[in-house]
Amino acid sequence: DLDEALANFDPDIVWEVGAEMQPDADTYRGHEGVRAFWGLWRDTFEGFELVIEECRAVGEDHVLARTWGRGRGAGSGVLVDSPPFVQLMEFRGGRVVRVRMHGSERAALRAAGLAG
């Protein structure tokens, strides 16, 4: 539920989608930006769901989730699974302030300066 998730996001959240995540690669800002990003997925998939395979703490302020999406193609009705991707969430004061979404754990950690 996006509204429920947004309640835990800072109003000034920055949602970064890495260049390898085409065609959605961009930086989305604030709650409206996050809504716009997820709206792209909802427009592409009917019955979209996000599957979380793994979720773990990375350091004191970050949580890494290995995920993939599933839904039926809008228009075609064909069941589609996305390739796996990683979301690295940064917390401050108990709220998510930044999400980095990448095709691999290494890319997400590197973007956050948490890996060499």
Side-chain angles (χ1 to χ4, degrees), residues 39-61:
L40 296 171
W41 287 60
R42 281 192 315 270
D43 292 346
T44 303
F45 298 104
E46 296 172 4
F48 176 75
E49 64 179 339
L50 187 62
V51 179
I52 300 173
E53 292 182 348
E54 176 189 9
C55 191
R56 71 176 195 276
V58 178
E60 291 184 25
D61 300 327

Side-chain angles (χ1 to χ4, degrees), residues 25-79:
D26 206 343
T27 299
Y28 303 84
R29 299 183 184 281
H31 288 187
E32 289 310 308
V34 173
R35 283 183 193 283
F37 169 74
W38 285 110
L40 296 171
W41 287 60
R42 281 192 315 270
D43 292 346
T44 303
F45 298 104
E46 296 172 4
F48 176 75
E49 64 179 339
L50 187 62
V51 179
I52 300 173
E53 292 182 348
E54 176 189 9
C55 191
R56 71 176 195 276
V58 178
E60 291 184 25
D61 300 327
H62 293 83
V63 172
L64 184 135
R66 188 178 318 280
T67 60
W68 54 278
R70 164 178 275 171
R72 296 202 173 273
S76 73
V78 173
L79 185 61

Side-chain angles (χ1 to χ4, degrees), residues 62-113:
H62 293 83
V63 172
L64 184 135
R66 188 178 318 280
T67 60
W68 54 278
R70 164 178 275 171
R72 296 202 173 273
S76 73
V78 173
L79 185 61
V80 177
D81 291 341
S82 78
F85 56 91
V86 171
Q87 295 179 55
L88 181 65
M89 293 149 278
E90 181 179 346
F91 289 82
R92 190 174 309 125
R95 301 186 95 181
V96 180
V97 295
R98 181 179 301 264
V99 174
R100 291 176 175 91
M101 192 168 151
H102 288 273
S104 72
E105 180 175 333
R106 181 177 173 167
L109 293 172
R110 201 179 309 162

